[in-house]
Amino acid sequence: MATRRIIDDDRLTAVGLLVEVHRGLTNKFATGLSKHGLSENELEILLRLGRTPNCQLRMSDLAAQTSLTTSGVTRVVDRLERAGLVERRSCESDRRGTWAVLTESGLARVSAAVADHIEDVERWYTGLLTEKQLAGLMEALRIVRDTVRPEAVAGVAEAAVAKTVRTVG
């Protein structure tokens, strides 16, 4: 009987498949995003802002939630701000903090891009799976994400509180 080699471990295959899928999807999505003048990083920031209460996050929380460094987020937000898609606002509760806020123009741009992007997502990812497979995959990915990147939801609760404070006050 042959001894199983450590390099044939299925855990390595699981990680390898995840990396290959990410690279493949990134390549497939890039063409559609470029039609809207957006990069993958710009879309990620616009989506995170748009899907957060009051369409805003602290810059530090935005960096924690994305795959970018703090300086990388600053550069992307700079570009988005010059394009009128995002604006910065001072954080009232912490003078050192700055909010990145999605503008109406930014929401319109990301919404238009997402309308096409959803078709690519369906074609190359979710449409290849049954509802049960997709639900299981999302559950599994959240378990792993919450363990390796618990900061991925940083600032969401604070943004909701900031919205409530502004609407009430």
Side-chain angles (χ1 to χ4, degrees), residues 61-123:
D61 293 331
L62 194 53
Q65 287 189 22
T66 65
S67 56
L68 300 169
T69 63
T70 303
S71 63
V73 166
T74 298
R75 285 190 299 275
V76 174
V77 169
D78 285 346
R79 284 195 308 269
L80 294 170
E81 191 172 33
R82 282 191 300 274
L85 305 177
V86 170
E87 62 183 35
R88 286 182 172 94
R89 292 187 190 150
S90 297
C91 179
E92 296 169 7
S93 63
D94 178 3
R95 289 185 298 180
R96 297 171 297 163
T98 302
W99 294 101
V101 183
L102 187 65
T103 64
E104 288 298 319
S105 178
L107 182 59
R109 177 90 161 271
V110 72
S111 296
V114 165
D116 289 339
H117 184 61
I118 286 290
E119 291 178 20
D120 285 342
V121 169
E122 179 69 14
R123 179 181 310 116

Side-chain angles (χ1 to χ4, degrees), residues 20-32 40 120 124:
E20 289 174 28
V21 166
H22 178 263
R23 287 181 184 150
L25 289 174
T26 298
N27 291 338
K28 295 291 186 189
F29 296 159
T31 303
E40 178 184 7
D120 285 342
W124 299 111

Side-chain angles (χ1 to χ4, degrees), residues 50-69:
R51 295 177 69 162
T52 301
N54 213 28
C55 295
Q56 68 179 25
L57 280 168
R58 283 181 190 239
M59 290 289 289
S60 57
D61 293 331
L62 194 53
Q65 287 189 22
T66 65
S67 56
L68 300 169
T69 63

